[in-house]
């Protein structure tokens, strides 16, 4: 990616390595103007009934479906992968439906209620934040630009979205879908740009939903703090899986292989550390190695195999650095890559199983965002839990055990917000449970599950006197 003096950004294609796409970045004045217009549009949007807002969102869903082929094509060019892109496009449509049904309950007619003081009643209202800023990363460009946008719109907010500069091609198609729906363009805008534009967004909005790295999240948090606006941060992870003796090893190895290497490991919720009880360690490593070595790269054609290219060239450098560091410190690779491989200009990393690893290695402590599976043996269950918790991150985790009850008991002791039980990385597929990101993986209320819509509204209470007699506390 390169930025020119004319405020354009040129973008690398993850499969060819060629720079084949350029987009314009709005000036600070133009961005401010967009935000002012969105604020003006939001006044009418907030007054619409929830049924009217749902009708607009349903029209948008139809337009997204009508443009699905074009959208998927652009996203495939952005990310170099196909299977995950189709999944992403499908999740968006079902997510609009889910939020439409959830939001209705939140906008039921306010009910006046009695209070503990007989002559005072209470009426509760919800007031949307006027303008929400959504800043999103490149690993699931469409889904993560919409995951907070859909409930925010239904809550009555206007939304300005700044997706990642690494994967901008899909925005042209999304803009067509927005333009095709009456009124939607007055409350929703996609703005292209890099970090500077992201920082401008934080300066212009009333609430920020940021998804990205912990390092950038810290900057966003500080900037939002200066402006005294709420911020929801969904950041990096170093998810751990714990596999206990008695677990179904066929299931555990298949689930963890998928949970660690789907999307070439480029998911915040990828399993990046696997802790296995020592009595089953050898058998586990052998099975995982055998299964991992059978997974092929999606090359030369996109639908040839399972593992697509690493999308961002900066990430290639990080994966290579983690592999080099681990190998220098004594790690052994039982199958996979010693470094990312350049194939036709794209960089690919095979599903890689590592043993002989420890916490002196970056691969065990820093987010890799690649298809690497370091496997460590532990003796007692409390040792396994302590190892899993030995991280600054707390996004999610997984436990495999003989019984669900035993797995949940272990999961309850893990310091993270979502635990897949006898499965892995389920928050990639299922967004219905409510969860917080623990530790340095995030700040703020749940973005998943029904209560996530509350983040976009302030509560307001009317305290209503229902008689004309002086109150007992009046002076006269
Ligand atoms: P990143 O932090 O580099 O960028 C994320 C977004 O922030 C981009 O749109 C970028 O342009 C913008 N940005 C950069 N500097 C900014 C600034 N100073 N102010 C405001 N915005 C700024 O992250 P990335 O490399 O695009 O994405 C990968 C990271 O995202 C990984 O750490 C991954 O774990 C994380 N992630 C987290 C979740 C989650 O739900 N927790 C989901 C997906 C990805």
């Amino acid at each position: 990616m390169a930025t020119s003096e004319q405020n354009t950004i040129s973008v690398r294609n993850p499969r060819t390595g060629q720079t084949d796409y350029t987009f314009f970045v709005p000036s600070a004045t133009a961005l401010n103007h967009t935000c002012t217009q969105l604020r003006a549009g939001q006044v009418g949007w907030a007054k619409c009934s929830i049924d009217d807002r749902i009708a607009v969102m349903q029209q948008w869903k139809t337009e997204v479906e009508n443009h699905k082929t074009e959208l998927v094509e652009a996203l495939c060019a952005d990310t170099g992968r196909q299977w995950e892109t189709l999944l992403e496009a499908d999740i968006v449509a079902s997510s609009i439906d889910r939020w439409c049904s959830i939001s209705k309950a939140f906008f039921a007619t306010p009910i006046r209620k009695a209070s503990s003081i007989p002559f005072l009643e209470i009426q509760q209202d919800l007031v949307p934040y006027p303008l929400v800023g959504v800043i999103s990363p490149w690993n699931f460009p469409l889904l993560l630009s919409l995951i907070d946008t859909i409930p925010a719109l239904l809550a009555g907010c206007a939304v300005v979205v700044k997706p990642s500069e690494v994967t901008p091609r899909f925005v042209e198609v999304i803009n067509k879908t927005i333009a095709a729906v009456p009124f939607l363009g007055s409350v929703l805008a996609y703005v292209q740009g890099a970090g500077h534009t992201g920082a401008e967004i934080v300066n212009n909005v009333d609430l920020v939903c940021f998804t990205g790295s912990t390092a950038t999240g810290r900057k966003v948090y500080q900037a939002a703090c200066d402006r005294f606006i709420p911020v929801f941060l969904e950041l990096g992870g170093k998810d751990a899986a714990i596999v206990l003796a008695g677990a179904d090893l066929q299931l555990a190895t298949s689930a963890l292989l998928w949970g660690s290497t789907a999307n070439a490991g480029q998911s915040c919720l990828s399993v990046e550390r696997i802790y296995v009880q020592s009595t089953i360690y050898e058998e586990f490593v052998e099975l995982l190695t055998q299964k991992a070595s059978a997974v092929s790269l999606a090359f030369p054609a996109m639908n040839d195999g399972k593992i697509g290219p690493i999308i961002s060239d900066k990430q290639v450098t990080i994966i290579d650095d983690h592999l080099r560091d681990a190998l220098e410190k004594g790690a052994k690779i039982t199958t996979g890559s010693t470094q990312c491989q350049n194939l036709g200009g794209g960089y690919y990393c095979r599903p890689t199983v590592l043993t002989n690893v420890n916490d002196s290695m970056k691969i065990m402590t820093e987010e890799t965002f690649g298809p690497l599976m370091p496997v460590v043996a532990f003796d007692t269950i409390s040792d396994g839990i302590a190892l899993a918790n030995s991280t600054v991150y707390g996004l999610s985790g997984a436990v495999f055990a003989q019984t669900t009850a035993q797995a949940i008991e272990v999961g309850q002791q893990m310091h993270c917000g979502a635990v897949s039980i006898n499965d892995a990385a389920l928050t990639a597929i299922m967004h219905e449970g409510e969860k917080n990101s623990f530790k340095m993986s995030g700040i703020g209320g749940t973005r998943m599950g029904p209560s996530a819509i509350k983040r976009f509204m302030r509560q307001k209470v009317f305290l209503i006197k229902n008689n004309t007699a002086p109150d007992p506390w009046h002076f006269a």
Side-chain angles (χ1 to χ4, degrees), residues 136-138 162 165 198 210-213 216 234-236 268 367 447:
S136 55
W138 48 261
K162 197 216 73 69
E165 65 279 18
F210 173 84
T211 308
S213 64
T216 312
E234 294 288 347
L235 310 175
C268 53
E367 186 179 48
R447 75 161 14 158

Side-chain angles (χ1 to χ4, degrees), residues 172-185:
E172 278 184 47
V173 190
I174 275 291
N175 281 339
K176 285 188 202 172
T177 67
I178 296 170
V181 180
F183 207 80
L184 188 58

